[in-house]
Structures are given as structure tokens and as C-alpha cells.
Amino acid sequence: MADTDLIPAPLTARHEGDAPGHVSLDERTTLDAGPGTEGTARWLRSVLGAATGLPFADGAGPHAIRLRLSPETEEEYGPEGYRLSTEDPEAAVTLDGGGPAGLFWGAQTLRQLLGPDAYRRAPVRPGADWDLPYVTVADRPRFGWRGLLLDVARHFTAKEDVLRLLDLMAAHKLNVFHFHLTDDQGWRIEIERYPRLTEVGAWRARSKRGHRASPLWDDTPHGGFYTHDDIREIVAYAAERHITVVPEIDLPGHSQAAIAAYPWLGNTDVVDTSALTVWDTWGVNPNVLAPTEEVLRFYEGVFEEVLELFPATFVHVGGDECPKDQWKESPAAQARIAELGVGDEAGLQSWFIRHFDRWLADRGRRLIGWDEILEGEVTRWGLAEGAAVSSWRGYGGGIAAAEAGHDVVMCPEQQVYLDHRQDGGPDEPVPIGFVRTLEDVYRFEPVPPGLSEAAARHVLGTQANVWTEVMENRARVDYQVFPRLAAFAEVAWSALPAPDERDTAGFLRRMETHYRRLDALGVAYRPPTGPAPCQRRPGLIGRPKDGPPPIV
């Protein structure tokens, strides 16, 4: 086994001969890009060219990096699989992809093999050769959905930082970016037919500092949004890295920013919605959408523009944490319950979800929502066949959905919510939730034991979620996400044994090299020894939970 320190760990990595050795990339190294490999060739020339200072001119021969799409590789390893070798006498490196995505993931492995300095934007040792070990790597992912959610509603993330995060995802072979674009605290996507969504809904007067129980406020107005062209750029940038962007538009709860912009969207017979502003604190908000045909038409208009911008099959509609108090008090909502025959307020929430489930299906898309979408009248009437569930409250919702024949993305809060604290020490900034260390995330298992074989086939994969209530800037996001995202990426990609049998010590040893990669990329991760002085947040109240998280 070659000592390659690759993360995520490949299926196999071995040297065929007896003696160690290496191959060097230097001024003679060319790129031999076969048909269909132009995107990866362009990425390699841009990224490795900047780090090494090498020109990587076009050309074949014994000094080339040879890129090919291989039907044989696809047959053995699938479209996201690849085979990389530095032991072919006819080329310096041969990289065969099962498909364009597999070729790109192989290029990420090549970058890792070149060492941490290959992650820099300019050469730090001009003129040095770049040595690769003699090794043959054969690899494929365990799951097709290897996701990361970024909440940009609670704290807005600038476009440049979104693009940077996509690069970091690609470096870890993650391939789904769940873009949480709307919530009570902000509406972040331009909708041309409804301009007040961003004129009003994208801005709040102040923000709570720390957990919602904190007495502290940041009185700086906060906000921002992405134009249509920003979204097109983000989607195209992700696609070049074989990452699918799944947009989320929350309904019928988590909607105060939209109601602040268009008060008639709310329950006007019980609340003075004209007095509502974009929410400035955290938690579950009581102001939800009114169950009217006009509201449905409004959100159909929103989704029409969303579908134009996002080609992904899946569209996330939220569907979680929808308090029913206003509907209980609203004569209009009660009349609607009777008119629709949905039984109660839970039936109204299901009515919203079922409507957009079918609306999206009619347009060739698939609805995905948080596990609450399984409740109420949905249980009675059923979701459309193609609808899927993000299981966040634990494994339970995902198990129920999978056993009912629906596809599932496992993202249980107790295991892979990266806003949860990384340590129980007093210096941990704004401690939220359970302690989830790097080692804990490495032992996460997306497929719960006891799931039937048929149901297990409905587990599309897994996703780590980054909720930004207490992450006000890029440095805070970096701290909460890294290095744990490296452990999560290996769980999502690699064929690991059962959690208790995983080589955690070996993973931590490989992380010693990976920290140097993150350093070269400028990632402000949590050091293994604890937060640096600038990463602490003394005096900011969190909401820590003690003990191991429950398995629910």
C-alpha cells in the first residue's frame, strides 16, 4: 500500500513493483487530453499551472499527463469512478475516468499526490520538480449524493465566498451543494416579477449575536442577495466541478422575509402583517403563509424563475418547522380546511407540500423536503413517486420514507449539523448542540442498521448541513466546517467498515498532511489543539447539549 495520505480514502492505492520510486512533473510535462476531457484539462492547467509554474502544453508522450474517458473504467467503477497510475512507461500519469465526473475526481487525487504546495496559487519553490509516488489508484464513491448545505439566509455569504466553498467541496469530492436561499431572516435570490422580495426581504435592521437567548445585538443592518447572473455564475462554476446545485425555497413556514415584502402572503385576518419586518433573531417563527390560491400562484411564479436558473432535477421546498397557531386562529384558514377537506392544520401544511410536489413533477422536476413533509395528510394521500426526503431530525424520518419507497438523503442533526460544537471546552466559540468531534463525524454511518435491503437502496447518500445563525462571516464558517468536512467526505465517498471498526487513528494520521493542504488553501479550520485566540467568542451565549446525541 502506498503511503499517499489521500482523503477521502480510495478504494485501492498500491504500487505494483518492489522498489519505491517516483515520477517527476517538470517543464517537459504536457497534457494529453482525449475527447470529452477538455474540462478537466482546463482545470488542471489552471490550478496546477498556478501552483507549479509549469506550462502544461498540449502533447502526448512519456512526459504527458494522459486524460481519457474509458468505457472499461465506467463498467468497473461507474461514471464517477477513475483509475490513476504513475507506473505506465508511455506517460508520466495516466488518468482514466468512467465519465467526466470520474475523471475530475481523479484529477483531485492527482493534486493531493503532488503535495500540499499544489494547493497554492503561485509557486513557493520556483524551479523545483514535482514528484509523484509510483502508485496505481482505483476508486469510486460509495454514495451518489455527497452533499453540503449552506444557509445564506441567516447570514449572507458573498458570491466569491460561495465560489470558494465550491472549490473546497470539489477538493473533498463532494458533489451536491444545497443552497438554502430563503428564510425568516432574509430572502437571497432575485425574483424579477416580485422585486420587493429583495428590495425589502433581503435586508434586516439588526441581528442577534449568539444564541437567541443572548441579550446582545449587532445593530449593523445586514443583508444581500444574488442576482440572476450571480446564480447563473454559481451554477456554471459548480457544474464545471461536477457539483449539482439544489436550491431551497422555504414554505409554508420560515417565510417572514417574504411576508414582510408582500404582507398579503401572511394571515392578515389574525396578524397585522403590514407591521412585520424581516426577522432579526433566531428560532422558529410563528408567521407562516396563508393557505390561499393567491399564495400558491405567487410561489409558482417564484419557482418558475428558480427552475430557469437551476437545472438540477431536485428542488428543495423546506416544509419544516411550521407552527400552526395562526391557522388555528384564522377564520379564513379554518374555512380553507373545511373547503379542502384536509381535516386540520397539519393537513393544510401537507396541502402546500402536495401542491408543489405535483407542480414540480409536472415540469420534470423532483421535490425534496425536510422529513416533516411525511406528516399530516401527506401520510394519507402520499407524495408523488419521485419526491424525496432530507432526514434531519434523526434517522427516523429517513427510515420511514425509505421503507415507503421514497429516496432519502441522511443528514441527522445529531450527527452532521456542523453548527454543533466541536469540543466541550470553555473556549469553544458560541457552543451550540452536542459535541461532535472530528472523530465523531468520522464514525457517522449514513445507513442505519436494521434498514431492509430494499429500503437501503433508497438512501441516495448523505449531507452535512451548515446553519449560519452564529456564523457571521467566512472565518466562522471555516471554523465550524473544517476539519470535520474532511471526515464527512470520507464517510460519503469511501467504502468504510462499520463505525466501531474504522481506522480512526489512521485517518487522523492522514489528516496531518491534510491540515497542510487546508493551510495552503487559506482555510481557517479549528486546530486540533483548540481554537486560536482570534477564533474564540468570549461572552457570546450558545446552547450546548451535554452527553452523547440520541439515536432517533
Side-chain angles (χ1 to χ4, degrees), residues 232-383:
R232 292 186 183 101
E233 181 182 359
I234 289 167
V235 169
Y237 194 85
E240 289 173 352
R241 287 146 184 80
H242 299 276
I243 295 170
T244 298
V245 183
V246 174
E248 179 176 352
I249 305 295
D250 241 323
L251 61 87
H254 289 287
S255 298
Q256 182 161 320
I259 296 169
Y262 293 94
W264 58 267
L265 293 172
N267 294 281
T268 57
D269 56 345
V270 293
V271 177
D272 180 9
T273 55
S274 65
L276 294 178
T277 59
V278 177
W279 210 27
D280 57 14
T281 189
W282 323 126
V284 179
N285 188 294
N287 293 297
V288 302
L289 297 176
T292 68
E293 290 296 323
E294 291 77 14
V295 169
L296 294 185
R297 300 293 88 75
F298 180 94
Y299 274 86
E300 287 172 1
V302 168
F303 281 118
E304 284 174 4
E305 293 192 24
V306 167
L307 297 192
E308 291 174 1
L309 294 168
F310 294 92
T313 298
F314 282 104
V315 176
H316 208 291
V317 300
D320 64 318
E321 295 181 327
C322 179
K324 312 297 190 296
D325 295 343
Q326 290 183 1
W327 291 344
K328 290 177 181 178
E329 297 173 9
S330 165
Q334 292 302 308
R336 193 70 163 145
I337 290 171
E339 176 190 351
L340 295 169
V342 296
D344 57 16
E345 293 78 21
L348 272 188
Q349 181 172 351
S350 298
W351 170 76
F352 269 104
I353 298 302
R354 284 187 289 115
H355 175 85
F356 286 103
D357 180 17
R358 284 153 181 77
W359 189 90
L360 288 166
D362 289 344
R363 288 153 182 80
R365 303 299 184 95
R366 295 178 65 184
L367 178 144
I368 185 169
W370 303 109
D371 52 55
E372 287 98 324
I373 70 171
L374 295 169
E375 298 173 351
E377 287 292 288
V378 165
T379 304
R380 176 182 172 189
W381 298 108
L383 291 167

Side-chain angles (χ1 to χ4, degrees), residues 23-25 29 61-65 85-88 90-94 132:
V23 62
S24 294
L25 305 186
T29 302
H63 301 290
I65 299 173
S85 180
T86 58
E87 301 180 291
D88 187 338
E90 296 183 0
V93 180
T94 60
L132 291 161

Side-chain angles (χ1 to χ4, degrees), residues 105-138:
W105 304 134
Q108 295 289 347
T109 296
L110 173 61
R111 190 185 192 188
Q112 287 201 17
L113 290 172
L114 283 168
D117 284 345
Y119 289 80
R120 298 189 180 276
R121 296 187 181 184
V124 292
R125 294 172 183 82
D129 288 344
W130 292 80
D131 295 336
L132 291 161
Y134 283 145
V135 66
T136 296
V137 179

Side-chain angles (χ1 to χ4, degrees), residues 15 17-21 134:
H15 170 51
D18 297 326
Y134 283 145

